[in-house]
Amino acid sequence: MTIRETIRDATGEDAAAIAAIYNPYILDSTISFEEQAVTSEDMATRIAGVQDGGLPWLVLERDGIIAGYAYATKWRVRHAYRYSVETSVYLARGQGGRGGGTALYETLLARLRAAGCHLAIGGIAQPNPASVALHEKLGYQKVAHFSEVGFKFDRWIDVGYWELKLD
């Protein structure tokens, strides 16, 4: 049986499926530092904000079901940072290890290059060997490590930062 995969721009209609993918990362892991579940309306606002800012928010569909998403946000608000972005990718439970994260990130990075972005930055809560492996597979290099920068589930969490020059 052949699985049909498509990567496309997210729409507001995808917000519920995206929130359903993201909320377990909030509620059950330290991968996201958010602590409250996100509503579909909140997610629709986030998608629109990213896209209105000229950056991509992509979804991966497998046989018509959203299996993951990736997006980029501005790294910082100061104008001098305008060519740097932070990248993120999330897959639905059970969708890892099938190439979806790589496909999403490759498409995202190509779009960022085409848009004239210079630097992609990935912040990864530690430990997260799968995310580190994905970023390094795509050429990101570790450039920073902050110890005990986040506090969630009654414990301190480190965050590492990886960068990829896009041009």
Side-chain angles (χ1 to χ4, degrees):
M1 176 183 235
T2 302
I3 296 174
R4 195 188 56 154
E5 288 190 347
T6 304
I7 295 176
R8 61 169 176 79
D9 289 312
T11 69
E13 289 77 38
D14 300 322
I18 291 170
I21 291 169
Y22 184 51
N23 282 330
Y25 288 98
I26 295 171
L27 301 173
D28 303 329
S29 81
T30 57
I31 290 172
S32 169
F33 278 11
E34 292 197 63
E35 297 178 299
Q36 301 295 320
V38 176
T39 67
S40 298
E41 293 79 17
D42 291 336
M43 192 58 75
T45 299
R46 291 178 186 194
I47 294 165
V50 165
Q51 292 172 335
D52 289 349
L55 293 171
W57 190 307
L58 307 171
V59 295
L60 166 66
E61 286 185 340
R62 287 190 170 139
D63 288 336
I65 307 291
I66 294 178
Y69 65 96
Y71 64 97
T73 57
K74 294 178 182 178
W75 169 242
R76 302 270 182 172
V77 297
R78 302 281 190 270
H79 193 255
Y81 291 115
R82 68 190 173 276
Y83 298 107
S84 298
V85 295
E86 185 168 6
T87 57
S88 297
V89 63
Y90 290 91
L91 295 172
R93 296 268 167 98
Q95 295 294 319
R98 298 170 56 189
T102 300
L104 276 163
Y105 248 20
E106 286 176 341
T107 304
L108 180 70
L109 294 171
R111 294 272 298 273
L112 294 171
R113 285 182 179 101
C117 294
H118 174 69
L119 187 72
I121 301 162
I124 306 171
Q126 297 298 302
N128 188 338
S131 186
V132 169
L134 172 63
H135 284 81
E136 291 181 352
K137 173 183 173 180
L138 293 168
Y140 285 75
Q141 296 181 332
K142 188 172 186 181
V143 293
H145 189 102
F146 297 118
S147 70
E148 300 182 358
V149 71
F151 189 80
K152 186 174 178 182
F153 300 139
D154 296 320
R155 66 185 176 99
W156 291 105
I157 303 154
D158 294 2
V159 175
Y161 282 91
W162 279 254
E163 71 176 15
L164 175 66
K165 294 211 173 63
L166 298 170
D167 54 11

